[in-house]
Structures are given as structure tokens and as C-alpha cells.
Amino acid sequence: MTESDNGGTGSADDPALNHETNWQQVAQRLYEPDRDGDLTTAIVFALAEAEDVSPNEMKTPPLYDSVDVAGIEQTFFGLDTDEGARQGTGTVEFRYTEYLVKVRSDGWIQIYESSEPEPV
């Protein structure tokens, strides 16, 4: 999947992931805290889509071994008590098994996989 038809962004929109890199987007999901619950669940669902498996099958390694999801959730989606707005803006990237996961402060979770063959 290189572009979204649902308002998200595709790898064509991301200058860091152009044709000169070895990553291609394979899944994405829009996280909306008021609707979706916790960020961990949304990331697991996006990874399951990339794996083409049920989210219940995503068990190892645990996501918390790769990243502090609660920290990302608080930084990007925690409410500022004075203004009711998000506290942080930006993108967090981390590796989970063979995937590169990007969590953006606008709510998009993007999953990339290497487009280069595995070394023999």
C-alpha cells in the first residue's frame, strides 16, 4: 500500500521513505483516542493488518519490549488541562520484529516493511 484513499498519507507523501530507501508502507490505521481506547491496541491492530493475521495472534514479542507506548500516548494524545489540546507534535519511529512503525501526533499509525530481500 503506497497511498491511502481514506485521508491518510502514503509513502509518496513521506520524503524520508521515498524510492531511495528500503522501506515500503504495508498498513496504516488512524488512531482516535476518544473512539479507539488505548494506543497499544491500535498499534497491534495495524501490525496484525500488516501480517494479515487476527490481532489475537500478535503475541510475541510483547509490544512493550520495543517501545514505551504509554509514553507516546501521553505525549501525543494526553490532554493539556489548560487548553484541552494535544501536548506534543511529531513522529515516533521504532522497530517491531521486521517492521518499522511510525506513530504520528495526528493519529496516523504507519507500518513499513523492508522492500529488500533478506540476506542469505
Side-chain angles (χ1 to χ4, degrees), residues 23 51 95-100 112-114 118:
W23 296 97
E51 286 279 320
R95 293 286 304 268
Y96 179 82
T97 63
E98 71 268 15
Y99 295 104
L100 172 66
Y112 297 87
E113 70 179 359
S114 176
E118 291 290 320

Side-chain angles (χ1 to χ4, degrees), residues 25-118:
Q25 186 174 321
V26 293
Q28 70 178 4
R29 179 179 190 87
L30 180 61
Y31 170 64
E32 296 182 30
D34 296 335
R35 181 195 72 196
D36 297 334
D38 66 35
L39 180 59
T40 300
T41 302
I43 294 172
V44 168
F45 273 72
L47 286 164
E49 180 183 336
E51 286 279 320
D52 197 25
V53 298
S54 164
N56 294 334
E57 296 177 56
M58 301 293 298
K59 295 190 188 310
T60 56
L63 190 56
Y64 62 77
D65 282 353
S66 299
V67 69
D68 178 6
V69 178
I72 297 170
E73 188 167 20
Q74 181 59 38
T75 301
F76 286 166
F77 308 108
L79 294 180
D80 179 34
T81 56
D82 293 336
E83 298 178 19
R86 290 184 180 148
Q87 294 179 346
T89 59
T91 302
V92 172
E93 297 180 8
F94 62 93
R95 293 286 304 268
Y96 179 82
T97 63
E98 71 268 15
Y99 295 104
L100 172 66
V101 179
K102 289 180 120 185
V103 179
R104 297 181 2 185
S105 60
D106 64 1
W108 284 102
I109 301 165
Q110 299 168 304
I111 310 297
Y112 297 87
E113 70 179 359
S114 176
S115 60
E116 296 180 0
E118 291 290 320

Side-chain angles (χ1 to χ4, degrees), residues 1 3-9 28-30 108:
M1 177 173 174
E3 293 190 23
S4 170
D5 57 344
N6 62 0
T9 62
Q28 70 178 4
R29 179 179 190 87
L30 180 61
W108 284 102

